[in-house]
Structure formats: structure tokens, C-alpha cells
Amino acid sequence: MMDKQMAYDIISFQLNGQLVQTELNAGERLSAALRDKMHSRDVKIGCDAGDCGACTVLIDGAPVCACLTPAHQANGREVETLSGLFLENQHAKNLADSFQNYGAAQCGICTPGMMVSAVALLNNNPTPNSDDVANALGGVLCRCTGYRAIIDAVIAAGTETSPYDAKGHTGAGIRRLDGLQKVNGTEQFGDDIAPSDALVIRVIRSPFHRACFHFGDLDAWAKGTPGIETVLTCVDVKGENCFGVIPPFADQPVFAEREARFRGEAVAAIVGLASSIENFDESGFPVVWEERPPSMTVFEAMERDAPLLHEHRVGNIMCGGFVSRGMPDATLNNSDATVEGHFSTSFVEHAYIEPEAGFALVKDGRVEVYACTQAPVMDLDELEKILGMQRADIRIVPTGIGGGFGSKLDISIQPYLAIAALKTGKPVRITYSRTESMQSTTKRHPAEMSVKIGASKNGKLTGMVFDGLFNTGAYASWGPTVSNRVPVHASGPYVLENYRAEAKGIHTNGPPSGAFRGFGVPQAAIAQESLFDELADKLDMDRLEFRLLNVLENNDETVCGQVFAQGVGIRACFEGLRPAWQTERKAAEVYNSKSKILRRGVGIAGGWYGCGNTSLPNPSTIKSGIRQDGTIVLHQGAMDIGQGANTAIAQIFATTLDVPVHQLELVGPDTDITPDAGKTSASRQTFVSGNAARLSAQALRKDIIKLVNAPQNAQIEIGQGEITISDGDIVHRIDLALLTPDADGFVLRAQETYDPPTKPLDENGQGEPYAQFGYAAHLVVVEVDTAMGTTRPIKFVAAHDVGHAVNPMLVKGQIHGGIAQGLGMALMEEYIPGQTENLHDYLIPTIGDIPPIETIIVEEPDAHGPFGAKGLGEHVLIPTAPALLNAIKDATGIRITNVPATPSRLRAAIRMHYKEQASG
Amino acid sequence: MRYERPDTMQAATALLAGAEAKSFVLAGGTDLLVRMQNDDFEADLIVDIKAISGMAKVTETDDGFVIGAGVPSVALFEDTALVAAWPGVVEAANLIGSTQIQGRCTIVGNLCNASPAADSVPALVAAGAVAQVAGPSGTRDVAVIDIPTGPGKTSLAKGEIIQAILLPKPNARTGDAYLRFIPRTEMDIAVVGVAVNLTLNEDGTVIAARVALGAVGPKVILVDTAAKAVIGSKLEDVVLQALSESCSAACTPINDKRGTVAFRTQVAGVLARRAAQTAYTRAGGK
């Protein structure tokens, strides 16, 4: 018996063509064995429960989730992963090309699962159609791309050549410069870098929404538990046990001190050997909880006797934002037509496929943190405060990031890593489980919005009043930003001379609400754009023409009194939708005349979004240089979280310097060597860091030309060890070997900063909050099964004014991905603390949920943007949800005001509607 | 925790029968590996049955089909004879998880996990499937409907393993269908599942029917009133209405984030109507 047991615990199998052998524990997963024992870190783990498919590998040619495969069952079989397939399988090679050509890999975390599944499909069926692809890839979730580019890439694999562009300047839809590592399995994400013997950290979290707690003898517990090195609590926080992205509102402890304010809040962490942490049974940890009654909704939290989450915030009100102009109440009272409504939205989870992960060590007395992040320099700011250390003694090295969408702006794992590394003096690592990631990181704010809008009978808007309560959860995070942004944006991109909007952030015992693509604007757009349809209907006007009658134009005043002399592109967006609006409405009418249970409808909605911080400084700095050998180096500090900053910023730089983009060597946002290009948020990188890159290239170019006294328009060519400058027939040569390199090895260098021009808002919110806005309008056709309450989107048309499309392929990628997230928010996503803390209870759209998307790129150049370019990252989901709700109304006559419009909710509304019709 | 991989069913049942504390049978692992992650999961023994010969085969016999306990779902829809005979059973197995999960999961596992929402179970019940149960003292046949007794619970005794599912040869002019409702297009647990199995006579009249519901009660429900409603009919509108109503009446669902009681009850009726129409067409009815 004993022998037999031993024999089973050592298995051998073919891994990517090599025979491998390993020892196993009972019940060990193949995913863990591959990553930890065979260093196959191209196998990604997103959920450990078969929900995301990122870990898909082939066993004897069949695609399976490695996380649900007992490693013992691989014995004697053939296992293939992306890195092996990329080298040996022709379909994988074709897919690698095709994924890059179509932008099918954004952040890249799902790409191994997608590509491995696609290889299995193509091995059996080399010419699949889109349904075949959707079936084969249905078990792999992607949060970035909206899936359509992936479908196109799989269908086109092996049939097309690369859209190579020799110069790769702005306007060219070139492949991502960092694309190859995403398709060959070598990209290193937060969980992919730690040495395998690093100590592992596990956080102890509150199981209650609100609870007091006290510890037993932690030292004795640690000493008595094999493999545990130490326990961390608030006493190990040597600096301030308080962080927050907006320093005046900082309120979140690294470890709670007496009371946990939300379910999943950290109270302690244990650090130990990987095997001990893996088998750790939390029930033995010496902590005693006393549950307290929580306030879960803004209404509960605002009751007179509700306990205060933070003593100094009276009424649990964190802060508010306000914009007012004209006489909205009086005008609404005298308007020919008014509509009003109350709209509610839910917590929405970012659901990036990469859970937070990283690694840290102490080196020469400095602490180095390698982790996934959207904002390396903000991480540094926070750690400086928390650790109570000199800034110079902390280094942040961002790893590849498997999606962020706003949540990875806030620190999560970073303080645990740094504190544990400093306390133990050993390398440490941490990876959140999917549940931890969902419980403890930020969410989109649930909103309660009461809105009233009026118009005259000729269809001109007269006034609007917006009142919004935003559930900011237990801690401030980006709540103040949401409160400020919403009143500025709640009008939508329309002329409203009489307007008042107020938004308040309210603390509850929910998870902290923070930044999520749009900072509250998508919620406000649901209310405003829904009511615009109601108003148009009341006035008996075409819903699109009603909007066009009221859109902002160049030289109009926004609700903040800001005037743009150029670049207001919302009219062009809506006009771009007009042909589809007319034909699709007719088609739906014809369809509905023959169908009772299945009803089709068409919806439209618009949106706008100001790029960068609201009336606050928001600089980016870009450093560049030329080495003696002629290498052009771009310190690209704008975190590429999948959106493509590494490519777009480089294209802007190369265009300005007038060199081919492929000649650049990119250096990433390591805080030791690359200046601060700000955070990747608020659709600011293309605009702000893009401008800094443009200025840096301009300065470099000027310096080069100055060396030979040529005119500014001279042509430069940077070659091996030399620069050639041509001014008509006169040709100058600079021998770079004759120049002296500086400490960075640069013989020529430039560092420039750009800060967008804004002006403060006064007490009525009047001013110049943003240097630029981007504009968008979406159209969607849906089919509602009225017997079941299901909504099936059939087609999207999305028009976006991007000023100038720096890289049209990346632009399309943003639009598709934003639509997928907007669709999720509108139709299925609802984070309920304690109930939907994994990816099988919290549903995000799968490949089958996203219909074809037609994109219309509008280019109304912005006065400040680089080459006229505007930001895009948030704009892409703002109109999606209201367009869907408007389409549901068009199809069924039912206005859903509480999102998500789940089948259960929609069906109940349909039932009520028919009952009312029958009795009325 | 001990991991064993016996190569005979006898050895497997002996291991389970002799286990002192909690033990689990492992086939594809898609449910067990997820459960093992829970902090409160405890087991002393895991018996992997995949190395037992014959476990991973679908065999067509004179009486019908024998589906081994180790057969992954993906193998069911590659078996053309099985697809032709029991399309509803196969389409139900095809709805469990995703392609990547169907490469691992088994219908026996789906049955033994005893989730009220298991997709393949209503289809098996409607098809009149039987579980072949191996135990320390030999094998016995149990109707599939008698296996689950409640959420996470089965009627299997200590030491017993379901070694195969037996599907009968369908009678002439028989068709089955399974439909379920989930809030997105793929990859979720059924909120409601309905399986219908109909046999017609030569003029298209229903002469035998089985209707089973999933996810609307603590275990799969065989709705006799629904079967009675359709027998003797050609699924006329009024019959479909009666079928729909009797299915709704049989529901005792829970209220949760996936759907309210009212919603599940009503959707069961809608799906029953639609599944019956598909089954009728598959049986050759017009």
C-alpha cells in the first residue's frame, strides 16, 4: 500500500514536448503544479474555480481549465501551454500574428487562455465561423477587448499579413510595440516574478460588514504554528496607518485598529512558508469578532441615529459637489414639458482577470515593491507615508498589469508586501484570491439619482435639476472625485442655461467605492439620457433630432460656463448615427409587426467626459535621450494597463521627432529611473503624457538641430552612432562618439512636463474644469424576450470624437471594451457584498454576449491635445448603458430605472405593465 | 489527506467503505477541486476513479447506452449515435460550464454533486435514465431521480459509487429537449432548467411524456401533471398552456440574486412550453 501511494505521488508527463516529473500533494491542481513546480508561468490563474478560463491548457489536445484538473490525472499524458504551442504549432504562430494585428490582446492576461482554446479549435476546424469561435472560447473571460477583436483574429489567423507601417506615426493603426510578449506567454504579471522560495503573505479579513475585534496572543500563535514567520497588524505600521488617493480625505487603515468597517477589511496578515500558508486554516487564528449592525445603503447611513463611519463626517456625508447656473427651478416650473425620475445603480466590480499580486524584497537597505499598478508614483507617495521611510529608500517597479479599469489606482497589496519584507528581511509575495480581490478592492459607486428636466414645445431644453447620492462605502478612495465630476457632467454634452446639480458621497459599510471608468459619469448619464428619451417622446419629437437640437457646439457655454472655440464633436457623433438610426428603427418596426413575444428596439445615447483632473494640477513628465550608439530611448512612464499607452505615447514621440517608431527603445515606469507621468486614469495619458512626450521630442529635436545650426524644418535621421541632418542639399553629420555621455548614458537628452490648463470652479461650479472634453454617442439594437425578460443586444454603432486617432486600432479596442463593460453594468452586473464575491456569482459578459460593433471615428481636433488628440478611456462606456435602457423602452414600452436590468427585474416590470394596461 | 487511484471498482468501493472519516470520489474534479479550496473543507481520503478500466467509455448495447462515470461531457456530443438518440441529454451536458470545463466534467459527477441546478439531471430524469451503483456487496440499479435527496445530498450509501448511467434505447418517434435559463449567454448555473421527453404515435399524438424541472426545488422534480396534460394531444395551444401552468405549479424555488420566486416559477412554464415544442419536432411531430 505504501509503495503504491508513493508511486502515485510522483507523476511524469510530456510538457510542451519535454518529459517532466514532479511530486504532488493530494488534490493538487495542475495549474498550481505547472506554475510553481515547472515554472510555466504562461499559465495564468484568474479565479481558481473554472469561471475565467485563463489557465486553459491542452491535455492530449483537448482544452481544459488547469485549475480544475487534478495534477495526478496528467500522469502519462501530453500537456501543452501557450509558450510551447507558440514555438511548435503553426496555428499558434498564426494566432500570435493575428492577435497582434487585430488588437485581440490588450492587457494580455486572458490571452494564453484565449489562444490555447483557439489552437484547439483550429486543430479541429481550420476555417471556423464566428459562432464556432464563440463556442470554443466561451469559457474564457476577457474584460478589456469586448471579444469582437478576438473573434476576428481567430477567424483571420493565417490569412492576413501584418498592417506594418514603416514610420508608425500617429494616425497609423500599428501593432502594439509591446504586443509580442502578450501572445507568446512571456509577459510577466504581478504573480509571475517572485522567486519560488519567497515567503507568502495572507491577509486576515473581517467576515462581517461591521465588527469590533480583538486578538489573542499572536506571538504565541505564530511561534506555535509551523512555517509561520510572523504576524502583521497595525502595530507593524511604522508610519501612518492611514492611506487614501486624495490626501485631504485619506481615511483607510492598512490594518483596521478596533473596528472593521466593511466585509473583507484587513485586520492582520500572516507571513510564512508557501506550504504552510496554503494549508492555513483561518479558524485557528486568534481573533475574536463582535458583529455590529451595519449601514448598507445610503438611506440607512443617512438616518438620524445611524452610527458614523468616521467621527468627523457628520451624517456620514463624506463630501459633495455642486454646479449651478441660471434659474433652474423657476424655468422648470414654466416649461412646456417636464419629465422627472429616480434612478438607482449598483456596486459594479472591475473584474479584471488578474487578481492583485506582487513581490517585494529589501536590497541595500531599500525596499523594492514589484506589483501590478495603474499609478506607480502614487504607490510611492502612499508607502512613504505608511512606512515612515525616506522616499529615496523605496522603489516601485510595476509589473505587467492584467487589467485595472480604475481599481488598481489605489494601493492594495503594496503595504503588506513592503511591511512584510522589511519585518522579515526576506523576499515576500502575495496574490489575492478572486474572492479577496472582489471583497477588498474598490467598486463603482452605487447611485441614487433624482432628476428633472424641462423643454419648450419647440424642443429646446429649458432647465435641469440633478440630485445624486453616491454610496462611497467605508472609505473615501476616489469618492471626492466622483462627487466633483458628476455635477460637471450630469448635463451631458448639451446646452443648459438653467441647471443645478448636486452630488454627495455617503459612507456605508459597503466596500470602498473608488474609480471605475467614468468616475460616476456613467451613472449620471443613465438618468439624463433616459429622461431625454422621455422628454422627446412627450414632445412627440424624434429622439435623435431632439438631442441634435440641444447639443453643445463650438463657442457654446457648458454648464460650468466654459467655452471651447474648437473641438466640440458631439454633433458629428450623433450625425454619424443618423443613417443607422433611421434604417434600424424601420427594421425593428417591420420585425415587431410579425413578432409578439420577441420585440426589437433601438436606443441611442450621448456622453462627454473631461480629460484629466477636475480643476487641479495634473502634470506628466517624459524623459528621453539618445545614446552614443544612436539608440533613441523613451522613458515611457504612463502605465500601459492594456489600453496601449506604450504604443500611443511612442507614436506621438516618434512623429514629433520624425523618426520611425520602431527605432525607439522604451524604458518603463520604474520609479528609480523614469519620471512621473501621472496615473493612468481620467482618460489623461494620451492627452497629458502624450503632450509631455511631444514636448520632450520637440526639445530633443531642437537640441539636435542646434548642434549643426540647421533650420527647424531640417530632416533628421538617427543611425548607428550618428545623426544625419538634411537641410535641402546641405547634409550635416553628428558623430555621436564625439559627444560625452551623461550618467544615464545619454549624449543628448530632454525632459519635459505638460500640465493641462484649467481654472478653479467657484462656489457655483463655474470655471474651467478641464482643458478638453471628448464626446461619444452610441446606438444599439436589442431583442427582448418578453416572456423571459431577457435582453439580447444585436448590434452596436458607436461614434466617438477622439480629436485625432493616434492609433485607430487602439481606439477601436477601447470602444469595444468600453461597450462590453457598459453592457455588463446595464444588464447583469451587481456586486452584493457577501453574495457575489466570485466570478460565478458575479456575472460579467462572455464572448456570446457582445454583438458586432460598428465604430465611427470622428476627429474634431482639440486645441490642446497632441496633434489634436483627446482622451478616450472613459468615454467608451458612458453612453452604453443608457442606450441599452432606451432600446429596451423602445422595444417594450418599459422604462427600467434600476440597473442592472436583469431578466428577473425586467420580467417583473413587464408583468406589472401588462397588468396596468389590462386594468387601465 | 490521502489520494488513491485504484484500478478496479472493487478496490475503489473497498477504500471508500473502509474510510474512517470523510472521503470523496474524484472523477473530472470540476466540483471537488473548487470545494477543496473552502476553508471548511475536510477530507481524509480522495478516491480517483479515472484509472478504473471502462470508466471513460460510452458503450452502445442492445438496450441502450452505458455512459461510464469517467466520461467527460465533451465525449457525449462526439458520440453521434447518442446525439441522435438523446439530443436533449446531450444538449444538457453541453451546457455545463464551458468547453474548457466540459473537457473535464462528467454527468455522473453532475448527478452526485447533487446541486438542485445541475443541468444534466432533469434531462436524465426525463429520459428515464438509471444509475448503476457499485458497492462493497455488488451493483444495483437506481432510477436517476432517486439519487439526489436534497442540496448536496444523495441516497448513496457508504462505499457506493455510481459507475455508469444507463440510457434506454428510445422508442420510435421519441424526442427529448432541455432548455435552461441563465442571465447571460453562457457559463452560469441554471436559474431554471426544463427537460421534456415525448413519444408520439403515427398520427403525431403524444402517447408518453416525461417532464422534469431543475433549479426550482431542493432537487429535480418530475412533473406528472405536466405529462398528463400533454398525453393524448398534439401540443395544441391550450395543451401547451396547461403544460406551462402545471410546471409553474410544481415549482418550489428559492428567492436569490439570480431570480425571484415569481420569476423562476413563471420562466419554468415558458421554458416547458418551448422545450415541449422542440421535443415534439424531434419526435417527428409537425
Side-chain angles (χ1 to χ4, degrees):
Chain A
M1 197 68 206
M2 199 60 207
D3 287 352
K4 219 170 175 185
Q5 176 69 23
M6 292 291 289
Y8 291 131
D9 283 350
I10 296 177
I11 64 157
S12 61
F13 58 91
Q14 294 281 328
L15 173 59
N16 294 324
Q18 304 280 322
L19 186 70
V20 292
Q21 201 176 52
T22 187
E23 280 183 42
L24 294 176
N25 305 320
E28 188 163 341
R29 293 152 182 264
L30 181 60
S31 51
L34 287 171
R35 284 182 58 84
D36 300 341
K37 295 183 172 152
M38 281 136 213
H39 306 287
S40 293
R41 291 191 174 165
D42 54 323
V43 177
K44 305 302 177 193
I45 295 178
C47 70
D48 249 346
D51 300 315
C52 79
C55 65
T56 300
V57 299
L58 301 185
I59 298 185
D60 295 345
V64 297
C65 287
C67 74
L68 295 188
T69 304
H72 285 88
Q73 292 184 357
N75 194 24
R77 303 180 76 178
E78 191 184 341
V79 177
E80 291 167 287
T81 72
L82 177 61
S83 61
L85 290 167
F86 175 78
L87 296 175
E88 298 298 332
N89 180 292
Q90 189 56 45
H91 290 308
K93 290 178 196 186
N94 294 342
L95 285 164
D97 270 331
S98 180
F99 265 54
Q100 291 185 75
N101 295 343
Y102 281 85
Q106 287 194 18
C107 79
I109 190 79
C110 75
T111 309
M114 289 290 181
M115 286 181 60
V116 170
S117 300
V119 168
L121 169 69
L122 295 177
N123 281 342
N124 291 325
N125 174 7
T127 53
N129 62 30
S130 60
D131 286 345
D132 299 331
V133 177
N135 277 332
L137 273 50
V140 190
L141 297 177
C142 169
R143 193 58 156 168
C144 295
T145 64
Y147 302 103
R148 300 306 306 190
I150 294 173
I151 295 175
D152 292 344
V154 175
I155 290 172
T159 63
E160 281 184 39
T161 51
S162 139
Y164 185 76
D165 182 288
K167 281 192 155 177
H169 285 178
T170 75
I174 58 165
R175 289 175 167 192
R176 275 161 210 279
L177 300 180
D178 55 1
L180 182 61
Q181 67 234 44
K182 296 174 193 276
V183 296
N184 68 9
T186 59
E187 175 83 303
Q188 292 194 308
F189 295 92
D191 194 35
D192 298 338
I193 42 167
S196 44
D197 59 351
L199 296 176
V200 177
I201 306 169
R202 176 153 158 191
V203 178
I204 309 293
R205 302 181 179 282
S206 170
F208 301 108
H209 301 301
R210 180 172 168 235
C212 292
F213 63 92
H214 61 269
F215 296 118
D217 189 341
L218 293 175
D219 287 340
W221 179 83
K223 282 197 190 91
T225 310
I228 297 298
E229 182 104 358
T230 190
V231 179
L232 309 175
T233 66
C234 62
V235 300
D236 296 294
V237 180
K238 301 301 179 200
E240 289 175 53
N241 186 25
C242 179
F243 66 90
V245 284
I246 301 172
F249 287 89
D251 57 4
Q252 188 164 357
V254 176
F255 294 110
E257 297 188 4
R258 285 181 298 275
E259 180 176 303
R261 296 183 177 91
F262 72 98
R263 178 180 156 87
E265 177 158 20
V267 299
I270 58 169
V271 186
L273 299 175
S275 55
S276 308
I277 299 291
E278 206 169 293
N279 298 320
F280 168 66
D281 176 5
E282 203 169 314
S283 60
F285 187 79
V287 58
V288 178
W289 298 98
E290 280 170 49
E291 196 179 357
R292 297 280 158 90
S295 303
M296 297 309 290
T297 67
V298 293
F299 302 116
E300 283 168 26
M302 291 173 85
E303 274 173 25
R304 192 180 286 269
D305 57 349
L308 296 181
L309 272 281
H310 302 274
E311 264 171 35
H312 60 293
R313 293 183 182 145
V314 178
N316 284 320
I317 298 170
M318 178 195 51
C319 74
F322 185 67
V323 170
S324 172
R325 63 192 272 111
M327 294 186 295
D329 299 302
T331 338
L332 281 172
N333 285 337
N334 295 319
S335 293
D336 297 331
T338 57
V339 290
E340 58 192 308
H342 185 90
F343 297 83
S344 309
T345 72
S346 308
F347 279 120
V348 185
E349 156 66 24
H350 301 71
Y352 27 76
I353 306 304
E354 180 204 28
E356 291 72 9
F359 148 71
L361 77 171
V362 177
K363 201 166 155 187
D364 306 325
R366 302 174 76 222
V367 64
E368 299 187 347
V369 177
Y370 295 74
C372 55
T373 179
Q374 291 180 242
V377 176
M378 287 176 63
D379 295 352
L380 181 59
D381 296 341
E382 298 276 31
L383 286 189
E384 183 185 0
K385 233 175 68 176
I386 291 166
L387 301 177
M389 278 170 70
Q390 294 292 323
R391 192 177 179 85
D393 290 336
I394 307 167
R395 178 183 181 192
I396 306 286
V397 189
T399 62
I401 171 170
F405 316 116
S407 188
K408 290 176 183 168
L409 289 166
D410 299 57
I411 54 168
S412 55
I413 53 176
Q414 289 84 354
Y416 311 124
L417 284 168
I419 293 169
L422 287 163
K423 189 170 179 187
T424 62
K426 294 176 185 170
V428 293
R429 67 186 297 179
I430 188 171
T431 304
Y432 279 178
S433 69
R434 174 54 57 185
T435 297
E436 275 186 292
S437 172
M438 292 182 76
Q439 282 182 347
S440 69
T441 63
T442 62
K443 303 282 165 283
R444 182 184 293 288
H445 285 70
E448 295 290 342
M449 300 167 289
S450 293
V451 184
K452 188 171 181 182
I453 309 176
S456 63
K457 57 178 180 279
N458 63 10
K460 277 279 186 191
L461 287 167
T462 50
M464 170 170 173
V465 174
F466 175 101
D467 259 303
L469 298 175
F470 288 76
N471 179 347
T472 202
Y475 297 103
S477 182
W478 295 94
T481 309
V482 168
S483 303
N484 280 328
R485 260 193 190 266
V486 165
V488 172
H489 288 84
S491 61
Y494 306 97
V495 177
L496 268 160
E497 282 162 18
N498 301 288
Y499 176 79
R500 188 182 65 246
E502 188 168 10
K504 285 196 189 102
I506 309 296
H507 282 298
T508 67
N509 292 102
S513 297
F516 190 170
R517 233 176 180 168
F519 286 101
V521 179
Q523 293 93 309
I526 284 175
Q528 170 261 318
E529 287 290 328
S530 292
L531 287 180
F532 269 33
D533 264 24
E534 297 300 315
L535 199 47
D537 287 0
K538 206 165 185 178
L539 293 163
D540 204 17
M541 287 182 71
D542 178 273
R543 297 168 198 153
L544 174 65
E545 301 307 326
F546 169 72
R547 287 173 170 84
L548 279 166
L549 195 61
N550 290 290
V551 288
L552 281 168
E553 311 266 7
N554 289 339
N555 301 313
D556 278 339
E557 283 191 26
T558 70
V559 288
C560 295
Q562 190 173 10
V563 174
F564 292 91
Q566 70 173 84
V568 180
I570 186 62
R571 169 171 292 282
C573 289
F574 276 124
E575 283 177 348
L577 297 184
R578 196 186 266 135
W581 173 245
Q582 290 168 349
T583 54
E584 294 297 341
R585 293 207 81 198
K586 278 210 188 83
E589 203 178 309
V590 171
Y591 181 91
N592 290 342
S593 69
K594 293 173 199 147
S595 175
K596 263 196 168 150
I597 290 181
L598 298 180
R599 306 290 295 175
R600 289 199 175 171
V602 188
I604 44 159
W608 65 334
Y609 191 82
C611 303
N613 285 351
T614 312
S615 294
L616 285 171
N618 195 200
S620 278
T621 301
I622 295 282
K623 164 174 147 183
S624 61
I626 297 172
R627 294 200 197 111
Q628 234 167 4
D629 65 359
T631 309
I632 311 163
V633 179
L634 173 63
H635 281 260
Q636 207 297 90
M639 268 312 297
D640 193 321
I641 62 171
Q643 87 283 30
N646 281 339
T647 307
I649 305 292
Q651 284 183 275
I652 291 167
F653 181 86
T655 308
T656 312
L657 190 58
D658 199 12
V659 298
V661 73
H662 299 97
Q663 220 181 318
L664 304 182
E665 180 181 308
L666 264 58
V667 173
D670 173 338
T671 56
D672 270 10
I673 52 175
T674 294
D676 184 10
K679 61 198 188 289
T680 292
S681 81
S683 305
R684 61 176 291 284
Q685 292 296 23
T686 299
F687 168 37
V688 183
S689 296
N691 262 328
R694 182 180 59 83
L695 294 173
S696 191
Q698 233 168 41
L700 198 58
R701 187 180 157 82
K702 217 166 148 190
D703 286 351
I704 292 167
I705 284 173
K706 207 162 68 185
L707 285 177
V708 296
N709 240 340
Q712 276 307 313
N713 61 357
Q715 283 202 331
I716 64 170
E717 196 179 312
I718 303 175
Q720 185 82 41
E722 63 167 21
I723 303 177
T724 312
I725 297 124
S726 312
D727 166 21
D729 294 340
I730 310 164
V731 178
H732 310 270
R733 282 206 166 74
I734 302 171
D735 183 352
L736 296 174
L738 301 177
L739 304 178
T740 316
D742 64 12
D744 288 328
F746 292 150
V747 291
L748 286 155
R749 67 182 291 139
Q751 179 164 322
E752 294 293 328
T753 298
Y754 179 78
D755 193 8
T758 61
K759 285 184 187 156
L761 298 177
D762 67 16
E763 70 280 7
N764 286 317
Q766 300 298 296
E768 297 186 1
Y770 308 104
Q772 70 165 214
F773 280 84
Y775 304 87
H778 290 177
L779 174 147
V780 63
V781 184
V782 302
E783 183 176 290
V784 177
D785 182 334
T786 55
M788 309 256 279
T790 47
T791 301
R792 185 170 72 92
I794 293 171
K795 172 189 184 177
F796 277 95
V797 185
H800 282 264
D801 171 23
V802 297
H804 167 64
V806 173
N807 182 320
M809 180 186 77
L810 297 175
V811 165
K812 241 172 110 172
Q814 286 297 293
I815 295 171
H816 285 204
I819 283 176
Q821 289 182 355
L823 182 152
M825 177 187 176
L827 300 181
M828 62 181 83
E829 296 186 34
E830 182 171 23
Y831 180 79
I832 308 169
Q835 290 187 45
T836 59
E837 297 170 340
N838 55 55
L839 291 176
H840 52 265
D841 290 320
Y842 184 85
L843 301 182
I844 66 170
T846 64
I847 199 166
D849 292 309
I850 310 299
I853 300 166
E854 186 186 315
T855 56
I856 298 171
I857 296 177
V858 172
E859 295 181 298
E860 297 275 344
D862 179 75
H864 300 290
F867 304 100
K870 301 169 183 173
L872 179 65
E874 344 263 318
H875 311 74
V876 291
L877 73 60
I878 293 169
T880 312
L884 279 161
L885 297 175
N886 286 343
I888 291 171
K889 170 79 194 282
D890 191 48
T892 62
I894 286 155
R895 167 64 58 197
I896 295 290
T897 57
N898 185 1
V899 296
T902 57
S904 192
R905 224 168 244 165
L906 179 53
R907 177 58 212 165
I910 290 170
R911 202 170 198 169
M912 189 69 80
H913 182 73
Y914 288 145
K915 234 184 227 167
E916 277 168 13
Q917 274 190 338
S919 64
Chain B
M1 187 167 68
R2 208 151 53 104
Y3 169 84
E4 292 288 350
R5 194 167 204 208
D7 43 26
T8 66
M9 187 51 77
Q10 234 177 343
T13 55
L15 279 165
L16 290 169
E20 280 167 17
K22 266 199 151 170
S23 52
F24 288 88
V25 175
L26 172 70
T30 51
D31 286 314
L32 190 58
L33 261 61
V34 175
R35 281 171 70 182
M36 280 171 70
Q37 281 203 151
N38 295 342
D39 275 344
D40 55 4
F41 178 83
E42 276 174 41
D44 293 291
L45 175 67
I46 287 175
V47 178
D48 182 343
I49 58 167
K50 279 225 164 181
I52 299 170
S53 73
M55 280 297 106
K57 272 198 314 198
V58 180
T59 317
E60 191 174 355
T61 64
D62 289 346
D63 300 331
F65 298 87
V66 181
I67 301 169
V71 176
S73 286
V74 75
L76 300 183
F77 35 93
E78 284 165 5
D79 191 312
T80 47
L82 183 66
V83 173
W86 293 108
V89 171
V90 175
E91 73 196 353
N94 198 4
L95 288 171
I96 305 171
S98 60
T99 303
Q100 291 76 6
I101 288 169
Q102 288 150 21
R104 302 285 327 152
C105 70
T106 64
I107 55 168
V108 171
N110 202 216
L111 176 60
C112 293
N113 190 48
S115 161
D119 280 306
S120 65
V121 176
L124 290 173
V125 168
V130 167
Q132 197 175 70
V133 179
S137 50
T139 62
R140 62 187 181 109
D141 287 352
V142 183
V144 164
I145 191 163
D146 294 327
I147 296 292
T149 54
K153 296 205 171 79
T154 70
S155 58
L156 296 176
K158 187 172 182 184
E160 285 192 325
I161 297 174
I162 297 179
Q163 65 179 18
I165 295 291
L166 312 176
L167 276 169
K169 272 266 153 78
N171 293 322
R173 289 177 298 280
T174 293
D176 73 332
Y178 175 75
L179 285 177
R180 69 155 185 202
F181 172 79
I182 58 168
R184 65 180 175 188
T185 55
E186 54 220 313
M187 288 242 296
D188 193 17
I189 297 159
V191 178
V192 180
V194 180
V196 178
N197 175 19
L198 302 176
T199 303
L200 317 184
N201 69 9
E202 275 167 13
D203 78 353
T205 302
V206 178
I207 52 169
R210 284 171 74 87
V211 179
L213 308 179
V216 289
K219 57 167 279 188
V220 61
I221 302 167
L222 185 65
V223 191
D224 289 333
T225 50
K228 281 197 189 109
V230 295
I231 290 172
S233 82
K234 292 183 177 177
L235 296 197
E236 298 80 0
D237 251 0
V238 50
V239 173
L240 286 170
Q241 188 57 33
L243 163 78
S244 178
E245 281 167 14
S246 49
C247 283
S248 291
C251 295
T252 55
I254 53 163
N255 226 345
D256 75 357
K257 59 191 178 291
R258 285 186 164 81
T260 59
V261 168
F263 179 71
R264 286 170 191 252
T265 305
Q266 189 250 336
V267 166
V270 175
L271 290 180
R273 171 192 283 264
R274 293 178 185 180
Q277 284 169 315
T278 303
Y280 189 74
T281 310
R282 285 177 179 169
K286 285 179 187 103

